Amino acid sequence: MSPGFRSSRLRHAATLALLFALALVSTRPVMAVDFDAPPPNLDTARKLYESGNYQQAIDYATNGQELDPWISTWEVIKSRSLLALGRYEDAYRSLSAFVDDRQYELLPRLLLREACLYTARYEEARSQYDALGFLVNEYSRRYGYNPEDIVSVGRIAELYEVEPKIVLESFYRRAQELRTAPASAFLAAGDLALDKHDYQLASKTFQQGLESFPENPDLWHGLAESFREDDRSKLAEYASRALEINPKHTATLCLLAENHIAAESYPAAETLLDMALQTNPLSPHALSLKASIAYIKNDNARGDELRAAALSTWTSNPSVDYQIGLQLSRKYRFEDAATSQRIALSLDETFTPARIQLAQDLLRLARNEEAWKHAERVYREDPYNIAAYNLVTLEERLSQFATLESERFLVRMSSTEAPIYGQRVLNLLENAYATLSERYGIELPLKTTVEIYPNPADFETRTFGMPGTPGFLGVCFGPVFTINSPASRANNWEAVLYHEFCHSITLTLSQNRMPRWLSEGISVYEERLANPAWGQRMSANYRDRILSGAMQTIGDMSSAFLKAEDGEDIQFAYFQSYLVVDFLIREHGMEAMRGLLADLGEGVEVNQAIAKRFAPLPQLDEAFASFAQEQARQLAGDYRFSPPDSPFASALLLLQPKKDYRLALQDGRALLEQGNWEQAVAALEPLVAEAGYLPGEENAHWPLARAYRELGQEQKEIETLRAITRHEAGRLGPVERLLELSLSRQDSESAFKWANAWIAINPMAETPWRALLRSAIDNERSDYAAEAARSLIALNPPDKPSLHYQLAELLQTSDAPAAKRHVMLALQDAPRFQKAYLLLDKLQKAIAAENRQTQTDPLNALDLDNNFFQ
């Protein structure tokens, strides 16, 4: 443990004294100022500091001290400016002299403790820590009048681990409610909320502070940081406001650099960090981020050099390795990330951010047992840490999950859902493994862990550490991937499983060193190979974006996801990633793609690896742009697309020779809503015939199928619905209707197909399982029939005895003991079920005959009432 972070010796006494101080606070006014003395201009000094004119602030505050040495704010402004410049020794000497003279001042002593840490004076830092506790214990009454002192007492209470709720309510909010509430009251409260991962409270607190202090860059930075796990566009907006006020604000420059690191825009990140280092060449935050970039680029020697520089002043600073590990974790380098967090904890085992991040990284490495121990320790020591609370709660829920296992997979899912479609999950994954491991020439060293969450909030907690990140169907970390259960959202869960497992293959092959766009592009590409109805396809929206030049170049693909401002942008990032992969494999073959992944695994930078395996980037960019534009132009044949909802759409239609697809579709839908079925068919049929298939809002097949249905043209309706399912496997409406038509036509083969298609979207509905049971029996598919019966039983319908009986019939020749068990379960719920008695008798005789041969009754272990059937 490094000095200066934790002590239990004074904690209890300090807590009581802090509460006692609160009780003694009165509303008595502060003593009047001697107005005959020349008034120092503190506002000017603050503005110089807050605007980043640190040297001017130092000089100005020094002059102010000479005029009135009794005002401690001069020393606070001067020492904070020295710390901002990285002049830690100067700050220490100035603060030490001041505190020796003014021993009862809290904020200068807090800053002195900080300066001691940054100058490796750990014993003195401990002494200052103890002195702060002593002052609050022995002289608590004197600190109850000044708002800055109240905030300082709160900061000391945090050091002594007083309950966060007490700190927030009794000190920070009390200071905020005073007429002369300082900015520090809002900064301290917001920082506390950030520390506990309560980003919503942090955002609210910083915004409240900005109402009174709109020119405070620290508040703008805090507000920006409160959006780091949410809306990055707001992060950038608020960070820019901070830099408008103070272009040298190191914390904000580092925050924006982190944003660029996430986008793999490393040159931009390094530029921001260099700007920060121009102000403070010793900034541990900036240097640790530069070290992170070096490690991400596999330049370990440079990373070690920068890490050493970051630790050169405060050698036991845990935040350095924590920050390095955090950035590595965001690049899916979980092994390296966990190592960094372990180093951080070796420097200070009480450093909570490192421990909770280590827990999350270990979960992503499928080392759950160790991960839960770390999460539980954080929660035990800090019940107000939301991230720890979420993980501990998640552990409890996961303990109630069922675990299914096959040769290559370990699947955890709801105990309610597991008996319904769990075996299908295993079967699909094993088939995916056989296909993808052969294609990419790799055998995974460990079983892949798959977790399926019926509660989206649990999925978000498991995946991102916090709930509140909707929109993801699944996320893969390599040896572990998580998905939302089909019970929580309508989508083709089979496609999602295949997509995420493909990530496991490619992340392992590249040793988790591949950019997101390439990983997503390959997974969508493999989806399309496995089932043309899976994955993404060209849409009118994508066509417009491509032809308008809204694509990224291949060399800049890493920014595609980070620059996305909404869901449509994200989906286009997926599609463009797929297009790039499709283009590269078409032009250069699968072997080159495997080579690219191998190069990434060896640490080659992605654009260098692409140029090595395929072609120089300028050449590739030009060829890819032509390829993508050609793909886009092929959509919709001779139709053109006017801007949706354009007031000039009709005029454009008259001026341009091409027919307008959107206007024609709009006319067809209007006729459909009016009940003009024949006219709707006349309007929609040319769109389908000439433009082909368009997904999304521009889809003409679905309204045309409805028109055919209304006209009783059943065969045409079926053909149109089938076209939808050939292109989009996640649309339930067409599948439901096709199953309904198959059953009404007694087409058991088609019913079998559409029942399975429905289950691939929503396995929790009874209808498709009943259709599967019936059609499988008709088609003599006893394996599917037995699966359907088991799944229906797990859904707990009112006719369970009948289902148990049907399952017993299906199993009687292949597994007589299991058949006997099911017929007895049928009789348990329906004791007068005569056909079940007959089947039971038949099974008893068959088992007895077998027992005479083996002299073993496998059912002897069953705990059954001998008189049950009498």
Side-chain angles (χ1 to χ4, degrees):
M1 181 191 301
S2 68
F5 269 88
R6 180 171 297 179
S7 170
S8 60
R9 186 163 58 88
L10 299 177
R11 188 181 308 157
H12 181 64
T15 302
L16 294 177
L18 289 167
L19 295 174
F20 181 65
L22 176 65
L24 291 177
V25 170
S26 72
T27 57
R28 208 168 38 178
V30 182
M31 290 181 60
V33 177
D34 181 6
F35 290 102
D36 293 330
N41 194 340
L42 289 171
D43 285 341
T44 300
R46 287 194 188 95
K47 288 178 182 177
L48 287 170
Y49 169 73
E50 291 176 353
S51 63
N53 293 294
Y54 298 123
Q55 186 57 56
Q56 289 179 264
I58 293 167
D59 296 339
Y60 192 91
T62 301
N63 292 332
Q65 273 185 309
E66 293 174 359
L67 292 172
D68 192 345
W70 291 100
I71 297 179
S72 63
T73 306
W74 294 121
E75 180 60 33
V76 169
I77 293 172
K78 180 174 73 173
S79 58
R80 279 180 169 163
S81 297
L82 288 167
L83 290 169
L85 291 171
R87 293 167 58 182
Y88 301 133
E89 281 290 340
D90 292 343
Y92 168 77
R93 286 194 294 270
S94 180
L95 285 162
S96 182
F98 183 86
V99 168
D100 284 345
D101 189 47
R102 304 284 299 277
Q103 296 182 11
Y104 299 104
E105 296 286 350
L106 293 181
L107 183 52
R109 192 178 291 274
L110 276 166
L111 291 172
L112 175 58
R113 174 183 173 275
E114 182 180 345
C116 288
L117 292 171
Y118 278 109
T119 55
R121 291 177 169 90
Y122 301 130
E123 289 302 322
E124 187 172 349
R126 168 63 68 182
S127 297
Q128 297 303 330
Y129 171 85
D130 291 340
L132 288 165
F134 174 81
L135 288 172
V136 172
N137 271 322
E138 299 298 324
Y139 303 98
S140 57
R141 188 169 183 174
R142 70 179 295 155
Y143 303 120
Y145 308 111
N146 185 299
E148 285 286 7
D149 282 341
I150 295 172
V151 174
S152 294
V153 172
R155 294 283 194 186
I156 296 165
E158 283 192 65
L159 287 176
Y160 276 86
E161 293 186 304
V162 174
E163 187 174 338
K165 185 176 181 180
I166 294 176
V167 175
L168 181 63
E169 296 292 338
S170 300
F171 301 106
Y172 298 153
R173 285 189 177 159
R174 178 170 181 79
Q176 291 170 17
E177 292 166 359
L178 296 176
R179 183 176 58 82
T180 55
S184 61
F186 301 96
L187 283 168
D191 289 343
L192 178 60
L194 286 176
D195 183 56
K196 305 306 174 188
H197 298 267
D198 192 340
Y199 298 109
Q200 186 175 1
L201 176 60
S203 177
K204 179 181 177 182
T205 303
F206 289 124
Q207 289 181 64
Q208 289 173 339
L210 285 165
E211 291 176 6
S212 300
F213 303 96
E215 296 301 310
N216 187 296
D218 294 331
L219 287 169
W220 282 112
H221 165 261
L223 182 58
E225 189 164 5
S226 71
F227 286 94
R228 70 184 306 155
E229 303 296 337
D230 186 12
D231 188 340
R232 289 184 177 268
S233 65
K234 289 185 178 179
L235 180 152
E237 176 188 347
Y238 299 138
S240 68
R241 294 291 298 273
L243 293 178
E244 286 173 8
I245 299 166
N246 181 356
K248 298 179 180 179
H249 200 265
T250 299
T252 302
L253 291 168
C254 289
L255 182 63
L256 286 175
E258 285 188 69
N259 217 25
H260 283 290
I261 293 171
E264 298 176 27
S265 301
Y266 302 121
E270 298 228 48
T271 297
L272 288 164
L273 295 172
D274 288 340
M275 290 170 62
L277 292 169
Q278 286 176 7
T279 300
N280 180 0
L282 299 175
S283 167
H285 194 180
L287 288 166
S288 64
L289 288 175
K290 289 202 77 168
S292 302
I293 294 172
Y295 287 127
I296 289 168
K297 292 181 174 181
N298 302 301
D299 187 351
N300 291 346
R302 176 63 174 158
D304 291 344
E305 178 185 339
L306 288 163
R307 176 182 176 274
L311 291 167
S312 61
T313 55
W314 180 357
T315 56
S316 62
N317 184 356
S319 65
V320 170
D321 287 290
Y322 162 72
Q323 190 59 246
I324 291 170
L326 180 63
Q327 301 309 319
L328 289 169
S329 178
R330 289 173 177 171
K331 297 304 175 188
Y332 283 38
R333 302 269 290 275
F334 302 118
E335 286 283 1
D336 296 336
T339 298
S340 289
Q341 302 306 347
R342 292 186 196 281
I343 295 172
L345 290 171
S346 73
L347 296 174
D348 177 11
E349 66 173 10
T350 71
F351 192 64
T352 295
R355 192 171 299 282
I356 201 66
Q357 185 61 42
L358 176 59
Q360 292 172 345
D361 289 335
L362 291 171
L363 284 173
R364 291 157 184 168
L365 291 166
R367 299 175 191 166
N368 290 16
E369 186 175 350
E370 183 184 357
W372 297 133
K373 289 180 181 178
H374 287 292
E376 287 164 2
R377 173 171 172 175
V378 173
Y379 180 65
R380 187 170 60 250
E381 296 176 354
D382 183 5
Y384 288 87
N385 188 298
I386 291 177
Y389 170 79
N390 287 337
L391 287 179
V392 170
T393 304
L394 178 67
E395 179 191 10
E396 181 180 349
R397 293 185 180 173
L398 265 176
S399 68
Q400 300 168 6
F401 274 28
T403 299
L404 309 177
E405 198 164 0
S406 64
E407 182 182 359
R408 303 285 187 176
F409 294 91
L410 186 72
V411 175
R412 295 189 180 96
M413 57 192 301
S414 160
S415 57
T416 301
E417 296 183 11
I420 298 171
Y421 67 100
Q423 190 58 48
R424 285 203 168 207
V425 169
L426 290 175
N427 292 344
L428 182 140
L429 289 170
E430 287 291 348
N431 290 334
Y433 187 98
T435 299
L436 294 171
S437 63
E438 180 181 359
R439 191 192 317 282
Y440 288 89
I442 185 174
E443 292 288 324
L444 300 186
L446 301 171
K447 284 189 176 184
T448 302
T449 299
V450 182
E451 295 174 359
I452 303 175
Y453 288 90
N455 183 347
D458 289 340
F459 165 80
E460 292 158 9
T461 297
R462 174 66 169 91
T463 306
F464 306 108
M466 299 282 287
T469 312
F472 288 85
L473 298 174
V475 174
C476 178
F477 305 110
V480 177
F481 70 83
T482 61
I483 73 167
N484 272 299
S485 158
S488 66
R489 59 180 63 206
N491 209 291
N492 192 298
W493 60 268
E494 292 183 346
V496 175
L497 280 176
Y498 200 95
H499 178 104
E500 297 303 331
F501 176 64
C502 184
H503 286 313
S504 293
I505 292 285
T506 55
L507 286 172
T508 302
L509 191 56
S510 65
Q511 298 187 44
N512 282 41
R513 291 173 176 168
M514 63 192 306
R516 180 182 178 185
W517 73 264
L518 182 59
S519 184
E520 298 296 355
I522 292 175
S523 283
V524 176
Y525 176 84
E526 291 295 344
E527 275 188 87
R528 294 288 301 273
L529 281 185
N531 184 338
W534 290 352
Q536 288 187 296
R537 56 202 10 86
M538 185 72 71
S539 68
N541 179 284
Y542 298 164
R543 174 189 181 277
D544 292 344
R545 289 171 182 254
I546 292 170
L547 295 180
S548 66
M551 289 195 307
Q552 304 294 330
T553 63
I554 293 177
D556 197 33
M557 275 298 298
S558 292
S559 64
F561 285 93
L562 191 79
K563 289 181 179 178
E565 296 181 358
D566 54 33
E568 288 188 359
D569 289 348
I570 289 284
Q571 291 306 309
F572 182 63
Y574 275 97
F575 182 71
Q576 189 183 345
S577 299
Y578 155 72
L579 271 187
V580 173
V581 170
D582 186 29
F583 163 74
L584 292 175
I585 293 177
R586 285 193 194 200
E587 296 296 319
H588 299 273
M590 192 67 198
E591 189 59 38
M593 183 58 69
R594 285 193 292 265
L596 170 63
L597 296 177
D599 289 344
L600 294 176
E602 292 174 3
V604 180
E605 192 271 332
V606 61
N607 286 341
Q608 294 176 7
I610 289 173
K612 169 187 172 183
R613 292 289 176 177
F614 298 97
L617 278 175
Q619 179 182 332
L620 284 175
D621 285 336
E622 183 178 354
F624 170 66
S626 299
F627 167 79
Q629 289 167 9
E630 180 58 29
Q631 295 282 315
R633 291 191 189 98
Q634 290 175 10
L635 187 74
D638 291 333
Y639 282 90
R640 64 172 176 80
F641 292 87
S642 64
D645 303 322
S646 168
F648 307 106
S650 298
L652 289 170
L653 184 61
L654 295 173
L655 292 172
Q656 297 184 25
K658 283 190 175 183
K659 295 172 288 186
D660 187 276
Y661 184 92
R662 288 193 175 105
L663 287 178
L665 179 59
Q666 181 180 329
D667 290 342
R669 286 174 173 165
L671 291 167
L672 197 65
E673 292 305 312
Q674 296 165 13
N676 297 326
W677 317 122
E678 291 182 354
Q679 293 180 51
V681 167
L684 293 168
E685 277 185 336
L687 288 177
V688 169
E690 299 172 26
Y693 191 87
L694 275 77
E697 295 180 358
E698 281 74 27
N699 182 258
H701 285 70
W702 182 239
L704 179 58
R706 181 188 167 192
Y708 285 141
R709 178 178 183 177
E710 298 293 347
L711 291 171
Q713 298 179 12
E714 194 171 276
Q715 190 56 43
K716 286 188 175 182
E717 180 190 1
I718 290 173
E719 292 171 0
T720 307
L721 292 171
R722 281 176 175 268
I724 297 175
T725 63
R726 285 196 299 272
H727 292 87
E728 296 183 80
R731 294 188 62 167
L732 186 56
V735 172
E736 288 179 325
R737 177 60 177 159
L738 284 166
L739 179 57
E740 178 186 349
L741 290 169
S742 298
L743 293 173
S744 67
R745 293 157 66 102
Q746 297 185 341
D747 183 349
S748 62
E749 186 176 342
S750 293
F752 180 83
K753 175 180 180 178
W754 302 122
N756 280 301
W758 185 333
I759 291 165
I761 301 171
N762 180 13
M764 304 305 293
E766 284 187 35
T767 300
W769 289 111
R770 291 191 181 278
L772 180 62
L773 176 60
R774 175 177 164 184
S775 61
I777 292 173
D778 290 344
N779 287 291
E780 299 182 350
R781 296 295 306 270
S782 59
D783 52 344
Y784 279 91
E787 177 199 18
R790 289 191 183 95
S791 297
L792 283 167
I793 290 168
L795 286 166
N796 199 29
D799 61 338
K800 279 177 68 175
S802 175
L803 291 166
H804 277 298
Y805 175 77
Q806 290 182 72
L807 182 54
E809 282 193 312
L810 291 164
L811 296 174
Q812 60 181 311
T813 58
S814 61
D815 191 347
K820 179 179 177 180
R821 177 176 178 274
H822 282 287
V823 78
M824 293 174 73
L825 288 169
L827 287 166
Q828 181 175 298
D829 290 335
R832 299 185 180 184
F833 196 163
Q834 294 300 319
K835 292 174 68 176
Y837 284 110
L838 295 174
L839 181 56
L840 177 62
D841 183 61
K842 181 179 177 181
L843 290 168
Q844 301 255 64
K845 291 176 180 177
I847 293 170
E850 183 180 349
N851 287 343
R852 281 193 292 271
Q853 295 179 348
T854 63
Q855 297 298 310
T856 302
D857 185 356
L859 293 179
N860 282 340
L862 286 176
D863 184 16
L864 299 172
D865 183 353
N866 291 332
N867 297 320
F868 183 80
F869 296 107
Q870 295 180 4

